[in-house]
Amino acid sequence: MLLASAVVVWEWLNEHGRWRPYSPAVSHHIEAVARAGPRAGGSVVLGQADSRLAPYIIDLQSMHQFRQDTGTIRPVRRSYYDPSSAPGKGIVWEWENDSGTWTPYDMDVGITIQRAYEKQHPWVDLSAIGFCYVIDFATMGQINRQTQRKRRVRRRLDMVYPLVSGTLPKSQSWPASPGVAAAPPVPACACPQCLLVMSVKATVSATGPGTATLQPRKVPPVPPATSKAAVPAPGAKAPDSVAAVRGSLKPLAAQGSRQQAASAPALSSASATTSPPSAGSSKASRPGLGTLNRSHLQRLAIAQSRVLIASGVPTVPVKNLTGSSPVNPALAGITGILMSAAGLPVCLTRPPKLVLHPPPVSKSEIQSIPGISHSCRKTTKKQAKKGKTPEEVLKKYLQKVRHPPDEDCTICMERLSAPSGYKGPQMAIKPDLVGKLVKCGHVFHLHCLVAMYNNGNKDGSLQCPTCKTIYGVKTGTQPPGKMEYHIIPHALPGHSDCKTIRIIYNIPPGVQGPEHPNPGKSFTARGFPRHCYLPDSEKGRKVLKLLLVAWDRRLIFAIGTSSTTGESDTVIWNEIHHKTEFGSNLTGHGYPDINYLDNVLAELAAQGITEESLAQEKD
């Protein structure tokens, strides 16, 4: 414990292992419920603070976020930051994603950016915290150090995150520490969902002690001689055919017929432990779900269904454990509320399984792809191009401008009518010369364009820094490796009418060349061989042919810093997304995904690879 003042930021863990902050308004709402202690019920309905989060509930006892319509559960945490940092001032840094909307940076990244901004640094390099990006405050842009791709960033003001003072716990806990300044009593909410929660709690309390005592915290174990009910051992699975609560609760089948239990999703409380009632205890035992009869549960399920429909929660059917019948998400919602009312963490169903690979395929089942010769491509080290100077290369793509327009050069940010602001090594060309790119018409200092070319791959191509138009044939810095491709006799989800193209990339570790970030230093290659999948359809084969061009041009991989692990000098994907999940889409890298083929064609086009490129390449 330590005495301090801090701002509280509530965060949730995404599928990539990154802690993502809730907005200041949502954090204020969660913090108010957390400070109110057990009398607030231990459940936070996020839709009260942000209507877009209507399906979500946070269980403060287990520190998990629960989505009512899908049953998805994610960990949450309560983090503390310096009041003088970005969250303490209500400052949010965001980057523009591919759909044109704004995404906030992780809290530690936003704080790092704001710290550099306040010190009036012209830019900040994020590689120290595991990201290969540079934030340029002059242009308010994020630049990928490996690909030079640029995105817009912005700094905006929002609410200040909640401030706490006094004794701050080192780790997250609930109820809130008594040393933290208590918030004024929170008035009861009158929304239908909260009214339902309170009615459940009132019903449970009025029913009186039940035969099952729920104790989330650790208690002495039950002696084997007195325990008649079978309690699953740690790590053991409850039977799939029974909707059971791990702990002291009996299977719900005991409250009704087996048919009723078979049509309900499985419920589990991982942290609940059994505790026999104490004969000498002066406190009444805590009532359990066993006190609610079948008709009462049905009435509550109907009420919750109305709440979910009224609040806009999708009513897409989900399947129960046996897959025999659809179950309305309302049943999942009411179950979550009942468990939350009892003070237990909730797990509505078994999590879906990640299916990375197809069923085993024999060599005789593997087929070559019609229209594409061979089934393997290899790349070797880059061969340096000789003969042409940067000035000679750029001359093909430029027209000289005698009377520069009254605007800034977007590379050096100086006026085009003034000399270039580039301060690097001396060049043969004059710093006041200006040229216009012939395709897109954007105008720059020739001095700046030559400097940009020298800092790039020096492959005879040029990419406009303003509109990304490519001049010449763009190549990358992909290290040597092998690409295999063939057809396997299995269908992808969403593409049941065709077989599957499997691509296998294999790049070994090695030593970086002169075109890489750290020449002469070794690099790692994690996760190889990497298996990727395309539908064996007309469009899928088109994508494969273009991927082969991208492979030959060394554009699929690069060497840099992994955005997921933070490891530097390792092989990473290079702006062309691949599907690595065969039979699921839990991480967003699988199927079904109706837009994937169109999206990857657009990404290939952004690298200068289109159908016209196929005429320039040989299979």
Side-chain angles (χ1 to χ4, degrees):
M1 309 290 285
L2 64 154
L3 295 175
S5 294
V7 287
V8 175
V9 177
W10 284 84
E11 300 168 308
W12 57 277
L13 186 67
N14 70 8
E15 63 272 16
H16 303 297
R18 303 291 305 178
W19 287 98
R20 305 289 297 136
Y22 291 102
S23 69
V26 174
S27 287
H28 271 279
H29 178 56
I30 302 172
E31 184 66 13
V33 178
R35 291 187 191 183
R39 73 176 187 274
S43 297
V44 186
V45 182
L46 300 187
Q48 295 173 357
D50 187 339
S51 60
R52 295 170 297 180
L53 304 181
Y56 297 95
I57 290 177
I58 289 179
D59 174 45
L60 294 173
Q61 187 73 34
S62 64
M63 293 294 282
H64 279 81
Q65 169 192 280
F66 164 58
R67 179 164 179 162
Q68 298 180 83
D69 55 335
T70 64
T72 304
I73 294 179
R74 298 184 185 276
V76 300
R77 73 178 184 183
R78 184 190 196 201
S79 299
Y80 301 94
Y81 294 94
D82 192 319
S84 64
S85 64
K89 297 178 179 179
I91 296 171
V92 180
W93 283 90
E94 299 173 319
W95 56 276
E96 187 179 31
N97 57 37
D98 292 336
S99 62
T101 58
W102 294 91
T103 302
Y105 285 97
D106 295 352
M107 192 54 64
D108 56 342
V109 178
I111 289 174
T112 301
I113 297 173
Q114 177 62 19
R115 188 183 298 120
Y117 181 84
E118 291 176 346
K119 292 180 180 179
Q120 298 184 344
H121 292 172
W123 49 268
V124 58
D125 188 344
L126 301 181
S127 59
I129 55 175
F131 297 92
C132 59
Y133 297 108
V134 172
I135 306 299
D136 185 345
F137 295 122
T139 62
M140 289 301 281
Q142 169 191 281
I143 304 169
N144 187 314
R145 297 179 61 189
Q146 302 302 321
T147 66
Q148 297 302 309
R149 182 177 182 181
K150 186 175 180 180
R151 295 180 184 271
R152 291 195 300 164
V153 301
R154 73 177 183 182
R155 175 181 179 269
R156 67 175 180 85
L157 294 178
D158 203 326
M159 294 175 60
V160 175
Y161 278 89
L163 179 69
V164 296
S165 60
T167 305
L168 302 180
K170 291 184 179 180
S171 60
Q172 293 76 33
S173 61
W174 184 87
S177 171
V180 179
V186 180
C189 179
C191 77
Q193 200 159 13
C194 286
L195 290 176
L196 179 60
V197 173
M198 299 310 297
S199 68
V200 171
K201 292 175 181 175
T203 302
V204 172
S205 301
T207 308
T211 57
T213 303
L214 306 182
Q215 295 289 345
R217 301 186 182 276
K218 274 194 171 183
V219 295
V222 181
T226 62
S227 177
K228 295 182 180 180
V231 179
K237 294 184 178 179
D240 288 347
S241 60
V242 179
V245 179
R246 292 193 184 98
S248 59
L249 296 180
K250 297 179 180 180
L252 292 181
Q255 306 301 325
S257 66
R258 291 187 179 272
Q259 288 76 9
Q260 177 189 357
S263 64
L267 311 176
S268 65
S269 173
S271 63
T273 56
T274 56
S275 173
S278 174
S281 176
S282 59
K283 295 182 180 180
S285 300
R286 192 174 181 181
L289 294 181
T291 61
L292 300 179
N293 59 33
R294 180 179 179 181
S295 61
H296 198 175
L297 284 171
Q298 288 174 337
R299 288 198 301 272
L300 289 174
I302 293 172
Q304 173 66 357
S305 175
R306 291 170 180 166
V307 169
L308 292 173
I309 294 172
S311 61
V313 177
T315 55
V316 180
V318 295
K319 290 199 172 182
N320 64 359
L321 290 179
T322 62
S324 59
S325 63
V327 179
N328 193 285
L331 182 56
I334 184 58
T335 308
I337 287 181
L338 288 170
M339 295 295 287
S340 177
L344 294 173
V346 180
C347 180
L348 286 181
T349 185
R350 296 173 300 177
K353 293 181 179 179
L354 185 68
V355 183
L356 290 177
H357 303 294
V361 178
S362 65
K363 289 185 178 180
S364 61
E365 293 178 303
I366 294 177
Q367 302 173 1
S368 59
I369 303 171
I372 300 179
S373 60
H374 310 296
S375 60
C376 177
R377 292 281 181 92
K378 292 184 179 180
T379 56
T380 56
K381 291 185 178 180
K382 178 184 177 183
Q383 300 296 322
K385 295 186 178 181
K386 300 179 181 179
K388 292 188 176 181
T389 65
E391 292 82 359
E392 291 173 329
V393 171
L394 296 181
K395 188 177 180 180
K396 299 186 298 182
Y397 311 134
L398 288 170
Q399 292 177 346
K400 286 187 178 180
V401 177
R402 294 184 179 181
H403 304 288
D406 187 22
E407 58 187 47
D408 291 341
C409 170
T410 57
I411 299 177
C412 69
M413 301 309 295
E414 297 289 344
R415 304 300 287 181
L416 289 167
S417 55
S420 167
Y422 175 70
K423 304 299 181 183
Q426 293 295 321
M427 301 181 189
I429 58 176
K430 296 180 180 179
D432 57 349
L433 292 179
V434 174
K436 180 174 70 172
L437 292 171
V438 294
K439 287 184 183 178
C440 60
H442 289 113
V443 183
F444 307 94
H445 289 117
L446 295 183
H447 213 76
C448 296
L449 285 174
V450 170
M452 185 182 74
Y453 180 84
N454 285 331
N455 288 330
N457 206 20
K458 300 178 185 178
D459 58 358
S461 71
L462 181 71
Q463 188 165 16
C464 174
T466 300
C467 66
K468 307 304 180 186
T469 298
I470 295 173
Y471 295 80
V473 177
K474 180 181 178 180
T475 62
T477 60
Q478 177 179 291
K482 181 171 69 172
M483 174 185 181
E484 300 178 69
Y485 39 93
H486 48 249
I487 296 174
I488 58 175
H490 299 288
L492 293 165
H495 297 276
S496 58
D497 57 339
C498 61
K499 296 179 181 179
T500 297
I501 297 171
R502 179 168 62 184
I503 305 171
I504 303 176
Y505 295 110
N506 204 347
I507 294 180
V511 177
Q512 299 182 51
E515 74 273 26
H516 293 135
N518 297 298
K521 185 177 180 181
S522 61
F523 66 87
T524 59
R526 310 292 186 191
F528 288 95
R530 299 187 185 182
H531 291 231
C532 308
Y533 304 95
L534 291 168
D536 184 28
S537 60
E538 181 180 354
K539 186 177 286 188
R541 292 184 186 183
K542 175 183 175 181
V543 169
L544 175 63
K545 291 178 181 178
L546 295 178
L547 287 176
L548 289 171
V549 175
W551 174 264
D552 291 337
R553 295 183 183 179
R554 306 175 71 206
L555 290 168
I556 292 183
F557 294 99
I559 295 177
T561 300
S562 170
S563 60
T564 54
T565 66
E567 181 182 12
S568 58
D569 298 303
T570 190
V571 178
I572 59 175
W573 292 105
N574 185 37
E575 304 289 336
I576 301 175
H577 287 83
H578 285 64
K579 292 296 189 180
T580 54
E581 286 183 65
F582 175 81
S584 59
N585 195 16
L586 300 185
T587 64
H589 302 303
Y591 294 92
D593 185 343
I594 60 175
N595 297 317
Y596 169 65
L597 296 178
D598 290 328
N599 290 341
V600 75
L601 286 172
E603 290 171 347
L604 287 162
Q607 301 288 343
I609 300 174
T610 62
E611 290 187 80
E612 296 177 359
S613 306
L614 298 176
Q616 305 171 10
E617 304 284 337
K618 294 182 179 180
D619 285 341

